[in-house]
Amino acid sequence: MDTEQQQYEVDLGHLMSFDPHHHFPSVPSSREDLVEECVRKGTDLVQAIVVSLFNLPSTEDVDGPLVKLPSPTTKLPREKHLPKPKPPTKWELFAKAKGIKKRKKDKVLWDEQTGAWKRRYGYDRVNDDEDIPIIEAKMTDEPGEDPFAKRKAEKKKRVVKQEKNRLQNLKQAAKAGALPSHIQLAATALPITGTPAAPKMVTKDELGNVAGLAATATASGGKFDKKLPGEKPVKKQGKHRKFLPVVEGAGIGRQEKEQTDKVLSKIFSQHSHEILNVDKAVSKYTVKKEKSRKNQQGKSSTPSSKLKANSKPMKVKNKPNKKPVKGGKASLSKKAK
């Protein structure tokens, strides 16, 4: 075993071993022999890895001895090709030419207008145009011009310019074959690749189907939505489940019972061979029939003289006595009171 293990190539970095001198027979005698040979050779290779692991220096731990694996020596091939480097953007080229280095900036800044710390970018940011109540006039301002409207127009221009630069950078990346994976799905769009692909013509039926889906997308199926002038009723109405009423009225109380009976009868008819035990049912029926027969025989043999009469006499309630009182008035007895 030791001489065979010396012939193996063991790479502990990948926990892998290989025998370069082993050859399987070109025509195996049977499949069982081939499987047995594979299991035997695999056991020897695993044993070689275990022996090499125990030869490494180890440190004791609560869970047991620990060893540090060396760096792998075998270079495994990649599944996919190396990603191509993304071409630099216009700003990166400009910054490199001017020697501008990227430095880390604080996320929050002190806002003098509101007297609070605010984030540099995003919602409720510092020096927001909407928080400026007064704009100082300049000598270059034209008379009669609204400075707030001017700021909004300049901001819109900056947004459009940034979007144009972003699409231009994506075009250059697509030409170099270095588009990000999440943008490759949209590579056939016109603004990214610049391909003169004609837009697909949408038929009238497709437009009607889309309009019907949009109209019935609400919880009420478009029942309470406002109709546009000239809008036709939806052809394909959405299907809604019909539930039984909460309050039972005349003729509705038995609907739930009938529905339950239908479900039970359907289940019993499909699985009657699994649910019903015929032998047990027959034996129960015979025992019940025998008990009823014995009870009938016992009742018929009982004499009528043994019947007990009601010994308690019936009580008769007497009417309350009326006693005459002076002055011509009558009073009831205490019991009647």
Side-chain angles (χ1 to χ4, degrees):
M1 179 65 69
D2 296 339
T3 57
E4 291 183 358
Q5 288 180 3
Q6 293 177 0
Q7 298 177 359
Y8 297 154
E9 295 180 0
V10 181
D11 186 3
L12 291 178
H14 292 303
L15 292 178
M16 180 182 66
S17 61
F18 176 66
D19 186 5
H21 305 288
H22 179 74
H23 297 285
F24 286 100
S26 58
V27 183
S29 57
S30 62
R31 183 175 180 81
E32 288 77 9
D33 296 341
L34 181 61
V35 172
E36 185 178 355
E37 176 68 17
C38 292
V39 172
R40 186 185 64 80
K41 181 54 67 175
T43 305
D44 295 343
L45 294 174
V46 172
Q47 184 67 32
I49 296 174
V50 173
V51 171
S52 302
L53 283 175
F54 277 93
N55 290 334
L56 293 175
S58 61
T59 57
E60 293 296 331
D61 192 73
V62 180
D63 299 329
L66 299 178
V67 296
K68 186 177 180 180
L69 297 178
S71 57
T73 58
T74 305
K75 293 183 179 181
L76 299 178
R78 287 177 58 91
E79 181 184 359
K80 297 180 180 180
H81 61 82
L82 288 171
K84 296 182 180 180
K86 192 176 179 180
T89 61
K90 285 186 177 182
W91 166 250
E92 291 175 351
L93 293 174
F94 176 78
K96 186 177 180 181
K98 296 294 183 179
I100 302 174
K101 294 183 180 180
K102 187 177 181 181
R103 58 186 177 86
K104 190 175 181 181
K105 298 180 181 180
D106 296 332
K107 291 185 178 180
V108 292
L109 293 174
W110 178 258
D111 191 5
E112 296 291 345
Q113 300 174 7
T114 58
W117 292 93
K118 290 189 175 183
R119 56 174 64 91
R120 185 184 290 270
Y121 305 108
Y123 174 73
D124 196 17
R125 63 186 180 276
V126 66
N127 297 329
D128 194 358
D129 296 342
E130 297 179 358
D131 295 338
I132 300 176
I134 300 174
I135 299 177
E136 186 178 356
K138 299 179 182 179
M139 297 297 295
T140 56
D141 293 345
E142 296 182 3
E145 186 179 13
D146 188 0
F148 296 97
K150 184 180 178 181
R151 280 199 172 209
K152 287 185 178 180
E154 290 177 353
K155 183 180 178 180
K156 287 183 180 180
K157 288 181 181 179
R158 289 198 305 269
V159 171
V160 172
K161 185 179 178 181
Q162 289 291 340
E163 182 66 17
K164 184 179 178 182
N165 293 338
R166 187 183 71 86
L167 295 177
Q168 190 66 27
N169 293 331
L170 289 176
K171 285 183 183 181
Q172 293 180 2
K175 290 178 181 178
L179 269 179
S181 58
H182 63 282
I183 301 179
Q184 287 180 1
L185 295 175
T188 56
L190 184 62
I192 294 179
T193 57
T195 53
K200 183 183 176 182
M201 297 297 294
V202 183
T203 61
K204 184 178 179 181
D205 295 336
E206 292 177 353
L207 286 175
N209 294 337
V210 172
L213 290 174
T216 57
T218 57
S220 62
K223 183 178 180 181
F224 302 103
D225 296 343
K226 293 182 179 179
K227 303 295 182 182
L228 296 175
E231 183 179 358
K232 296 181 180 179
V234 183
K235 295 182 180 179
K236 299 181 180 179
Q237 294 286 349
K239 294 183 179 180
H240 296 275
R241 292 182 61 186
K242 294 182 179 180
F243 297 95
L244 294 176
V246 179
V247 181
E248 296 182 357
I252 304 178
R254 63 175 182 274
Q255 288 186 4
E256 187 175 357
K257 184 179 179 181
E258 292 177 356
Q259 188 176 3
T260 308
D261 292 342
K262 285 181 181 179
V263 175
L264 290 176
S265 62
K266 188 177 181 180
I267 294 174
F268 289 152
S269 62
Q270 291 179 354
H271 304 279
S272 59
H273 60 285
E274 300 176 2
I275 298 173
L276 182 62
N277 190 349
V278 180
D279 298 335
K280 190 174 181 179
V282 171
S283 62
K284 280 189 175 184
Y285 176 73
T286 53
V287 170
K288 188 176 180 180
K289 189 174 182 181
E290 186 68 22
K291 283 184 179 181
S292 63
R293 186 178 62 81
K294 288 181 179 181
N295 291 335
Q296 289 178 0
Q297 289 180 357
K299 287 181 180 180
S300 60
S301 61
T302 302
S304 60
S305 61
K306 292 183 180 180
L307 293 175
K308 293 182 179 181
N310 191 4
S311 58
K312 296 181 180 180
M314 295 180 66
K315 294 182 179 180
V316 179
K317 293 183 180 180
N318 298 326
K319 294 182 179 180
N321 298 325
K322 297 181 180 179
K323 296 180 180 181
V325 186
K326 293 181 180 180
K329 294 183 180 179
S331 63
L332 296 177
S333 64
K334 294 182 180 180
K335 188 175 181 181
K337 289 181 180 180

